[in-house]
Amino acid sequence: MVLVSGWTGAMDAVVTSLLAPGTVAVRHDLSRVTEGVVRRTLYVLGENPRETILELAHGCVSCTLREDLLPLLRALSTRSTVDRIVLVMDPALEPEALCWAVDNVIVADVVGQIDGPASRDVRIEAVIGCLDAATWLADATGDDTLADRGVVASGDDDRTVAQLVVGQVDYADALVVTAGPDVDAWERARLAAVLARLAPNAPVVWVPQDSMVDGPAVLASVPFDARRGEITDAHSPLLRGQPPLSVDCGVALVEFAATRPFHPERLHEAIDVLLDGVVTARGRAWVATQPDEALWIESAGGGLRVASAGKWLAAMTPVEQDRIDTTRRAMAALRWDEQFGDRDTSLVILVHQADPTEIDRTLQWALVSDDEMTDPAQWATWTDPFGQWHEDPCESSESPYADQSREATE
């Protein structure tokens, strides 16, 4: 299966170029999903598109995946005439969430098949991200919500456009960038610098506006060690591949690491530094008032998400630790502290206009001070703005961290 995603760009041209004997393309139009209506279209070379109107009891992305798309993938995989499925993703969908669903959501009651996830029958060959050079960076650093643009994937969808478009590029195995004559050399160079750091393993194909795209060549360019739908977690390495660590066109990666916790109120005050002049920030944080649980912090443009990243190893029982991936345990052993175990903070921030020194200074200020470190028993008495949690509705397939998708209320 090949996933083609994007908010803008040459998605249709990529899909058209991939249609060949043995290939079927699938598109779900979610523009009316909140009304319980989804339009599904199948494309086969040499045939007219086949459209089906789906009526869902509950209109949301999760239901679309669970009730139609995932069973359809399993059903198509049984056809002898189908060798490849090209999934044309609705602009409101994030490829990582879909790949998580393919691997984890159980599809039941498919005639002739054992109940299980769609990954029993389909393998993700590549994720191709499409973007428009004239608008992507503005979208990726803005604070418009999807609702501001007239796109609502569920009744409580408060995602920003930046969170969506950054996620689409970050997860891509290859990128197709449309660049018209209105994109000058400086804009192109700055965007190239961002893409090289956000998706360092992904080859970038630049194409003129409204031109043909060689989809098979794009697929052939995907490196052997590409992610191809792999799901990582908050304790996986934050820097994938070998992104440039130098400054280019004002674009740079800032790494922040600390072996002492954040003061919760100071972190709450400082966290806006991740939203100004920053394309994206992501990583895990140790907050003094939450000794057992790591926090996942992720920003894109003006959008911020703070969620649970699960327990620290030091807070687990030996039985729980035995269930953890050996790579994570090995990495934790290298930095293990006698008092605090594997608790630490590790953030990676991609800036395009911000001052890296100011970001580091602000985050350092938010850490627990030397005097405060001498009395850990006092930490539990501090006010914690990150301590109030609520459960996301429809958590069954919305997020790659669905079992941990609790967002902090601001």
Side-chain angles (χ1 to χ4, degrees):
M1 182 168 68
V2 176
L3 278 62
V4 182
S5 72
W7 177 253
T8 57
M11 289 181 64
D12 289 343
V14 171
V15 173
T16 299
S17 70
L18 290 175
L19 282 180
T23 296
V24 58
V26 181
R27 181 195 300 270
H28 283 79
D29 179 354
L30 302 179
S31 59
R32 295 179 59 197
V33 69
T34 56
E35 303 171 26
V37 176
V38 173
R39 180 181 288 105
R40 180 231 288 161
T41 308
L42 297 183
Y43 304 88
V44 176
L45 185 67
E47 299 182 14
N48 292 326
R50 285 173 280 173
E51 186 176 284
T52 304
I53 303 298
L54 309 171
E55 295 186 4
L56 306 176
H58 177 58
C60 67
V61 173
S62 292
C63 294
T64 304
L65 296 176
R66 186 171 55 249
E67 296 180 20
D68 187 71
L69 175 56
L70 298 176
L72 177 64
L73 294 178
R74 297 201 69 187
L76 289 174
S77 72
T78 65
R79 297 185 184 179
S80 60
T81 57
V82 176
D83 300 317
R84 174 186 286 158
I85 301 169
V86 176
L87 186 57
V88 193
M89 298 186 61
D90 185 272
L93 281 176
E94 299 178 47
E96 185 173 13
L98 179 58
C99 291
W100 181 90
V102 167
D103 270 347
N104 292 278
V105 176
I106 301 300
V107 179
D109 303 323
V110 177
V111 176
Q113 293 186 334
I114 299 172
D115 291 354
S119 57
R120 289 180 60 96
D121 305 296
V122 299
R123 173 181 55 83
I124 297 173
E125 181 181 3
V127 177
I128 300 175
C130 300
L131 58 146
D132 188 336
T135 60
W136 186 86
L137 191 55
D139 285 336
T141 55
D143 56 9
D144 283 358
T145 65
L146 296 186
D148 291 335
R149 303 288 185 91
V151 176
V152 181
S154 64
D156 62 345
D157 190 355
D158 59 358
R159 290 175 299 160
T160 65
V161 175
Q163 289 171 318
L164 178 62
V165 301
V166 167
Q168 290 171 339
V169 168
D170 174 68
Y171 203 69
D173 297 315
L175 295 168
V176 176
V177 184
T178 303
D182 55 335
V183 179
D184 62 29
W186 165 254
E187 292 173 317
R188 179 170 174 146
R190 185 172 60 158
L191 177 57
V194 170
L195 299 180
R197 289 156 179 79
L198 183 57
N201 284 354
V204 181
V205 179
W206 296 78
V207 296
Q209 198 83 33
D210 301 322
S211 68
M212 302 278 292
V213 177
D214 188 342
V218 173
L219 283 181
S221 71
V222 174
F224 75 93
D225 58 350
R227 177 182 277 185
R228 302 179 195 272
E230 177 190 3
I231 299 298
T232 56
D233 63 27
H235 299 277
S236 301
L238 298 175
L239 284 177
R240 294 185 294 272
Q242 296 181 342
L245 299 180
S246 57
V247 180
D248 185 6
C249 299
V251 177
L253 284 170
V254 179
E255 296 180 81
F256 180 84
T259 55
R260 62 176 62 194
F262 282 115
H263 187 291
E265 291 183 290
R266 290 202 294 272
L267 176 59
H268 191 261
E269 186 175 343
I271 207 164
D272 281 355
V273 76
L274 303 179
L275 308 177
D276 188 9
V278 173
V279 178
T280 183
R282 63 197 303 269
R284 59 186 177 271
W286 172 22
V287 177
T289 44
Q290 300 191 38
D292 293 343
E293 194 167 31
L295 292 189
W296 176 255
I297 297 176
E298 185 172 21
S299 75
L304 175 70
R305 185 171 76 100
V306 181
S308 167
K311 282 186 177 181
W312 297 110
L313 291 177
M316 295 181 186
T317 65
V319 173
E320 289 175 322
Q321 290 182 2
D322 286 342
R323 299 182 185 135
I324 300 300
D325 179 77
T326 55
T327 301
R328 177 184 168 187
R329 284 186 286 162
M331 295 301 294
L334 295 176
R335 65 174 195 277
W336 197 269
D337 179 87
E338 290 187 4
Q339 182 177 4
F340 298 116
D342 61 321
R343 298 177 180 91
D344 73 339
T345 288
S346 183
L347 299 169
V348 173
I349 304 111
L350 176 56
V351 304
H352 72 297
Q353 292 178 335
D355 180 355
T357 302
E358 179 66 14
I359 291 175
D360 185 79
R361 185 196 67 79
T362 303
L363 294 176
Q364 292 286 351
W365 167 81
L367 295 172
V368 169
S369 68
D370 289 344
D371 288 343
E372 292 164 337
M373 284 294 293
T374 63
D375 189 11
Q378 188 70 18
W379 298 351
T381 67
W382 294 342
T383 300
D384 185 356
F386 301 98
Q388 301 300 318
W389 303 93
H390 67 270
E391 295 291 338
D392 259 350
C394 288
E395 73 279 3
S396 58
S397 61
E398 291 283 2
S399 168
Y401 311 115
D403 59 334
Q404 306 167 0
S405 60
R406 299 178 297 169
E407 297 188 355
T409 56
E410 292 284 345

